[in-house]
Amino acid sequence: MGQPRTPYRHRLLGRRLPVLLAAALVLTLLGPFGTFADLTLAQRLAYWCGLIGLGGLAFELLTLAAGHRLRERAGAWRAMLAGVVLAVAALMTLTVALLERTLRGMDFLRPLGLAELFVYVVLVTLLVSAIPVWLELRDRGLLAGPTPPPSPPAPDDAPAFPRRSGRSLPSSPACPRGSAGTCWRWRWRTITSAPTRRKAAT
């Protein structure tokens, strides 16, 4: 799947962890899904930091495991990411359902409730992981377009310039020594008498 140019520690601590912390802070302040009204600021901070941290850890471990198994298949990263997102969303759906039942008395442990909660968890997972995944793919060179194949080398015995098709023109015979006028008359007689000699030869 391509070798990353940046060391793993820098990618984890310098890119992914700040994004996860920022996402947890934003969700704490906004309090979506009714957490703003039902939970205090400290409870929301613990709620969202715990969920984002657990989801980020699961996403990281599953990505490392899948990337290790598919390291020789560069084109499989799309299917791998889709599988990781769905697996993390399934795990976090069950976690949120149990947490909501404990903290706020909401029962999502029903097929319809789990399906609804799964959609919300997938959306949050995609939003939180979009920037880290994009940075990781760019670092591995997987976002660049396919490079065209190199042109085959020219053979060593190939001519530098293409040859002209058709009959080559005969070289003009050497002019006998003499004046310029004598040379031109001799050339004219040679050219005009050439057809006669060819007819006689046939």
Side-chain angles (χ1 to χ4, degrees), residues 20-33 35-36 41 44-45 47-49 51-52 124-125 127-128:
L20 294 179
L21 292 176
L25 181 60
V26 170
L27 292 173
T28 298
L29 296 177
L30 295 180
F33 309 114
T35 57
F36 188 88
L41 178 61
R44 293 199 308 270
L45 183 62
Y47 180 93
W48 287 112
C49 285
L51 290 179
I52 295 298
V124 173
T125 303
L127 291 175
V128 173

Short mmCIF file of all heavy atoms in Angstrom, two decimals, residues 20-33 35-36 41 44-45 47-49 51-52 124-125 127-128:
data_model
loop_
_atom_site.label_atom_id
_atom_site.label_comp_id
_atom_site.label_asym_id
_atom_site.label_seq_id
_atom_site.Cartn_x
_atom_site.Cartn_y
_atom_site.Cartn_z
N LEU A 20 -7.99 14.42 16.69
CA LEU A 20 -8.94 13.77 17.61
C LEU A 20 -9.26 14.67 18.80
O LEU A 20 -10.42 14.77 19.21
CB LEU A 20 -8.36 12.44 18.09
CG LEU A 20 -8.18 11.36 17.02
CD1 LEU A 20 -7.58 10.09 17.64
CD2 LEU A 20 -9.49 11.05 16.32
N LEU A 21 -8.24 15.34 19.34
CA LEU A 21 -8.49 16.24 20.46
C LEU A 21 -9.36 17.42 20.05
O LEU A 21 -10.26 17.84 20.79
CB LEU A 21 -7.16 16.73 21.03
CG LEU A 21 -6.30 15.67 21.75
CD1 LEU A 21 -4.98 16.26 22.18
CD2 LEU A 21 -7.06 15.09 22.94
N ALA A 22 -9.10 17.96 18.87
CA ALA A 22 -9.91 19.08 18.38
C ALA A 22 -11.36 18.64 18.15
O ALA A 22 -12.31 19.37 18.47
CB ALA A 22 -9.31 19.64 17.09
N ALA A 23 -11.55 17.45 17.60
CA ALA A 23 -12.91 16.96 17.37
C ALA A 23 -13.65 16.74 18.69
O ALA A 23 -14.83 17.10 18.83
CB ALA A 23 -12.86 15.65 16.58
N ALA A 24 -12.95 16.18 19.69
CA ALA A 24 -13.59 15.98 21.00
C ALA A 24 -13.96 17.32 21.65
O ALA A 24 -15.03 17.45 22.26
CB ALA A 24 -12.66 15.18 21.91
N LEU A 25 -13.09 18.32 21.49
CA LEU A 25 -13.38 19.63 22.07
C LEU A 25 -14.58 20.29 21.39
O LEU A 25 -15.45 20.87 22.06
CB LEU A 25 -12.14 20.52 21.96
CG LEU A 25 -12.26 21.93 22.54
CD1 LEU A 25 -12.58 21.86 24.03
CD2 LEU A 25 -10.98 22.72 22.29
N VAL A 26 -14.64 20.21 20.06
CA VAL A 26 -15.77 20.80 19.33
C VAL A 26 -17.08 20.12 19.72
O VAL A 26 -18.10 20.78 19.95
CB VAL A 26 -15.51 20.72 17.81
CG1 VAL A 26 -16.76 21.10 17.03
CG2 VAL A 26 -14.36 21.63 17.42
N LEU A 27 -17.08 18.79 19.77
CA LEU A 27 -18.30 18.07 20.15
C LEU A 27 -18.69 18.37 21.59
O LEU A 27 -19.89 18.42 21.92
CB LEU A 27 -18.09 16.57 19.95
CG LEU A 27 -17.95 16.12 18.50
CD1 LEU A 27 -17.57 14.64 18.43
CD2 LEU A 27 -19.24 16.36 17.74
N THR A 28 -17.71 18.58 22.46
CA THR A 28 -18.03 18.93 23.85
C THR A 28 -18.71 20.28 23.94
O THR A 28 -19.69 20.47 24.68
CB THR A 28 -16.74 18.95 24.69
OG1 THR A 28 -16.16 17.63 24.67
CG2 THR A 28 -17.01 19.36 26.11
N LEU A 29 -18.22 21.24 23.17
CA LEU A 29 -18.81 22.58 23.21
C LEU A 29 -20.17 22.62 22.53
O LEU A 29 -21.08 23.32 23.00
CB LEU A 29 -17.86 23.58 22.56
CG LEU A 29 -16.50 23.78 23.26
CD1 LEU A 29 -15.62 24.73 22.47
CD2 LEU A 29 -16.72 24.29 24.69
N LEU A 30 -20.33 21.90 21.43
CA LEU A 30 -21.61 21.93 20.71
C LEU A 30 -22.66 21.06 21.40
O LEU A 30 -23.84 21.39 21.37
CB LEU A 30 -21.40 21.46 19.27
CG LEU A 30 -20.52 22.35 18.39
CD1 LEU A 30 -20.39 21.77 16.98
CD2 LEU A 30 -21.08 23.77 18.32
N GLY A 31 -22.25 19.93 21.96
CA GLY A 31 -23.19 19.05 22.63
C GLY A 31 -24.26 18.49 21.73
O GLY A 31 -25.46 18.65 22.02
N PRO A 32 -23.89 17.82 20.61
CA PRO A 32 -24.93 17.30 19.72
C PRO A 32 -25.64 16.09 20.32
O PRO A 32 -25.22 15.53 21.34
CB PRO A 32 -24.12 16.90 18.47
CG PRO A 32 -22.75 16.59 18.99
CD PRO A 32 -22.52 17.52 20.14
N PHE A 33 -26.74 15.69 19.66
CA PHE A 33 -27.53 14.52 20.04
C PHE A 33 -28.09 14.64 21.48
O PHE A 33 -28.21 13.65 22.20
CB PHE A 33 -26.72 13.23 19.90
CG PHE A 33 -26.05 13.08 18.56
CD1 PHE A 33 -24.67 13.09 18.45
CD2 PHE A 33 -26.81 12.94 17.41
CE1 PHE A 33 -24.06 12.96 17.23
CE2 PHE A 33 -26.20 12.81 16.17
CZ PHE A 33 -24.81 12.83 16.07
N THR A 35 -26.77 15.94 24.13
CA THR A 35 -25.84 15.94 25.26
C THR A 35 -25.66 17.33 25.87
O THR A 35 -25.29 17.44 27.04
CB THR A 35 -24.46 15.41 24.81
OG1 THR A 35 -23.97 16.21 23.71
CG2 THR A 35 -24.57 13.97 24.34
N PHE A 36 -25.92 18.36 25.09
CA PHE A 36 -25.77 19.71 25.64
C PHE A 36 -26.82 19.98 26.73
O PHE A 36 -26.53 20.64 27.73
CB PHE A 36 -25.89 20.75 24.53
CG PHE A 36 -25.56 22.14 24.96
CD1 PHE A 36 -24.25 22.61 24.93
CD2 PHE A 36 -26.56 23.01 25.43
CE1 PHE A 36 -23.95 23.90 25.33
CE2 PHE A 36 -26.25 24.29 25.83
CZ PHE A 36 -24.93 24.74 25.79
N LEU A 41 -20.90 20.39 31.48
CA LEU A 41 -19.71 20.56 30.66
C LEU A 41 -18.67 19.48 30.96
O LEU A 41 -18.06 18.92 30.03
CB LEU A 41 -19.11 21.96 30.90
CG LEU A 41 -17.83 22.28 30.12
CD1 LEU A 41 -18.08 22.21 28.61
CD2 LEU A 41 -17.29 23.65 30.51
N ARG A 44 -19.93 16.23 29.51
CA ARG A 44 -19.78 16.20 28.05
C ARG A 44 -18.33 16.01 27.65
O ARG A 44 -18.03 15.29 26.68
CB ARG A 44 -20.32 17.51 27.44
CG ARG A 44 -21.81 17.70 27.56
CD ARG A 44 -22.34 18.73 26.56
NE ARG A 44 -21.62 19.98 26.63
CZ ARG A 44 -21.95 21.01 27.42
NH1 ARG A 44 -23.00 20.90 28.24
NH2 ARG A 44 -21.26 22.13 27.41
N LEU A 45 -17.41 16.63 28.37
CA LEU A 45 -15.99 16.47 28.06
C LEU A 45 -15.56 15.01 28.23
O LEU A 45 -14.87 14.45 27.36
CB LEU A 45 -15.16 17.38 28.96
CG LEU A 45 -13.64 17.38 28.71
CD1 LEU A 45 -13.33 17.87 27.31
CD2 LEU A 45 -12.94 18.25 29.75
N TYR A 47 -17.57 12.44 28.19
CA TYR A 47 -18.37 11.63 27.26
C TYR A 47 -17.72 11.61 25.87
O TYR A 47 -17.43 10.54 25.31
CB TYR A 47 -19.78 12.21 27.20
CG TYR A 47 -20.75 11.51 26.28
CD1 TYR A 47 -21.57 10.50 26.76
CD2 TYR A 47 -20.85 11.87 24.95
CE1 TYR A 47 -22.47 9.86 25.92
CE2 TYR A 47 -21.75 11.23 24.10
CZ TYR A 47 -22.55 10.23 24.58
OH TYR A 47 -23.44 9.60 23.75
N TRP A 48 -17.47 12.79 25.33
CA TRP A 48 -16.97 12.87 23.97
C TRP A 48 -15.49 12.50 23.88
O TRP A 48 -15.06 11.88 22.90
CB TRP A 48 -17.22 14.25 23.38
CG TRP A 48 -18.66 14.48 23.05
CD1 TRP A 48 -19.52 15.35 23.66
CD2 TRP A 48 -19.41 13.80 22.05
NE1 TRP A 48 -20.76 15.26 23.10
CE2 TRP A 48 -20.73 14.31 22.10
CE3 TRP A 48 -19.11 12.82 21.11
CZ2 TRP A 48 -21.72 13.88 21.25
CZ3 TRP A 48 -20.12 12.37 20.27
CH2 TRP A 48 -21.40 12.90 20.34
N CYS A 49 -14.69 12.87 24.86
CA CYS A 49 -13.27 12.46 24.83
C CYS A 49 -13.14 10.94 24.93
O CYS A 49 -12.30 10.33 24.25
CB CYS A 49 -12.50 13.12 25.98
SG CYS A 49 -12.15 14.86 25.71
N LEU A 51 -15.46 8.66 23.94
CA LEU A 51 -15.92 8.04 22.70
C LEU A 51 -14.94 8.28 21.55
O LEU A 51 -14.63 7.35 20.79
CB LEU A 51 -17.31 8.57 22.33
CG LEU A 51 -18.47 8.12 23.22
CD1 LEU A 51 -19.78 8.74 22.74
CD2 LEU A 51 -18.58 6.60 23.22
N ILE A 52 -14.45 9.51 21.41
CA ILE A 52 -13.51 9.80 20.33
C ILE A 52 -12.20 9.04 20.55
O ILE A 52 -11.60 8.52 19.59
CB ILE A 52 -13.26 11.31 20.24
CG1 ILE A 52 -14.54 12.05 19.83
CG2 ILE A 52 -12.15 11.62 19.24
CD1 ILE A 52 -15.07 11.66 18.48
N VAL A 124 -20.31 10.54 12.22
CA VAL A 124 -19.29 11.10 13.11
C VAL A 124 -17.92 10.50 12.81
O VAL A 124 -16.90 11.20 12.79
CB VAL A 124 -19.69 10.88 14.59
CG1 VAL A 124 -18.56 11.32 15.51
CG2 VAL A 124 -20.97 11.64 14.91
N THR A 125 -17.88 9.19 12.55
CA THR A 125 -16.61 8.54 12.23
C THR A 125 -16.00 9.10 10.96
O THR A 125 -14.78 9.35 10.89
CB THR A 125 -16.82 7.02 12.09
OG1 THR A 125 -17.39 6.51 13.29
CG2 THR A 125 -15.51 6.31 11.82
N LEU A 127 -16.53 12.10 9.63
CA LEU A 127 -16.11 13.48 9.83
C LEU A 127 -14.81 13.57 10.63
O LEU A 127 -13.93 14.37 10.31
CB LEU A 127 -17.22 14.26 10.54
CG LEU A 127 -18.50 14.51 9.73
CD1 LEU A 127 -19.55 15.18 10.59
CD2 LEU A 127 -18.18 15.36 8.50
N VAL A 128 -14.70 12.74 11.66
CA VAL A 128 -13.52 12.81 12.51
C VAL A 128 -12.29 12.24 11.81
O VAL A 128 -11.17 12.75 11.95
CB VAL A 128 -13.78 12.07 13.85
CG1 VAL A 128 -12.51 11.98 14.67
CG2 VAL A 128 -14.87 12.79 14.63
#
